[in-house]
Amino acid sequence: IMNCISNAVQKVGEPFINGATDKQKVELQKLLKVEFQQSLNPDVSEIEYRLNTNVNGNRDRCDVYAETSEYQMLVEIDATRADQLAKKMLSRYYYAHTTSQNKPTIYICLLYPGTDSMNPNECIKYMEMGKEVLLAMNSKNRFIGGFIKDNVVEWKNIG
């Protein structure tokens, strides 16, 4: 999975330097989907996947979703904003808990550069907390967190 992610990030035409454009994000989503399809042979692989939960008015979408017979995978691609990271984790973990059908969930948090006021260390703190919560939900779940810089992923939290 990490090789798929690294390969996709390397193939993005414009490196992630000062934030990300919508074009870059969509390109990365498409590249991730292709990498997952070629390497993981998922039953389902979609971008902007609607997370169907029983919450009224839910409009949550996962940037990239893949599901095999063994696990489901949720990928979020966001700016280095701790508040956004934590909010999405809660939402996605709720989805994973209510829909997993006892399949492990692999949650992937990919962060691209934001403004100078955005604190990567605070994001790492929430990644660590998120990993612990995800594993407490199901010891077979996995968390993968990294920062995209230029066309490379710096892995920060794996578990």
Side-chain angles (χ1 to χ4, degrees):
I1 292 171
M2 291 169 64
N3 285 336
C4 291
I5 296 166
S6 291
N7 290 341
V9 169
Q10 287 175 348
K11 293 176 184 176
V12 174
E14 190 178 323
F16 292 84
I17 297 171
N18 295 318
T21 64
D22 288 340
K23 179 183 173 190
Q24 283 173 298
K25 190 171 175 181
V26 169
E27 182 182 7
L28 180 55
Q29 287 174 307
K30 290 177 180 177
L31 288 166
L32 285 168
K33 179 180 174 180
V34 168
E35 287 287 333
F36 293 153
Q37 286 174 331
Q38 290 175 347
S39 298
L40 307 176
N41 196 29
D43 301 326
V44 177
S45 180
E46 293 186 30
I47 62 173
E48 294 298 326
Y49 180 78
R50 180 163 177 164
L51 301 175
N52 295 320
T53 61
N54 292 328
V55 177
N56 291 338
N58 176 26
R59 294 182 183 183
D60 287 348
R61 294 184 184 274
C62 176
D63 288 323
V64 182
Y65 177 85
E67 184 175 350
T68 71
S69 60
E70 298 174 25
Y71 57 84
Q72 66 178 353
M73 184 169 48
L74 301 141
V75 181
E76 290 298 339
I77 307 164
D78 292 301
T80 305
R81 281 186 49 192
D83 61 329
Q84 185 178 38
L85 180 147
K87 178 181 165 184
K88 286 214 178 158
M89 275 187 200
L90 177 61
S91 167
R92 301 327 180 242
Y93 289 8
Y94 175 80
Y95 171 80
H97 176 71
T98 59
T99 63
S100 68
Q101 300 171 359
N102 295 321
K103 282 186 190 181
T105 296
I106 301 169
Y107 184 79
I108 300 162
C109 173
L110 294 175
L111 302 178
Y112 53 81
T115 65
D116 289 340
S117 65
M118 294 180 186
N119 186 347
N121 290 328
E122 192 174 7
C123 291
I124 292 169
K125 176 181 87 172
Y126 282 107
M127 284 182 185
E128 184 62 36
M129 290 177 185
K131 178 182 76 174
E132 287 186 33
V133 170
L134 188 67
L135 293 173
M137 290 169 51
N138 178 343
S139 63
K140 293 180 181 178
N141 287 344
R142 293 294 171 254
F143 182 93
I144 300 172
F147 292 88
I148 302 170
K149 294 191 179 176
D150 297 319
N151 283 89
V152 176
V153 179
E154 292 181 9
W155 302 110
K156 291 294 181 185
N157 204 312
I158 312 298

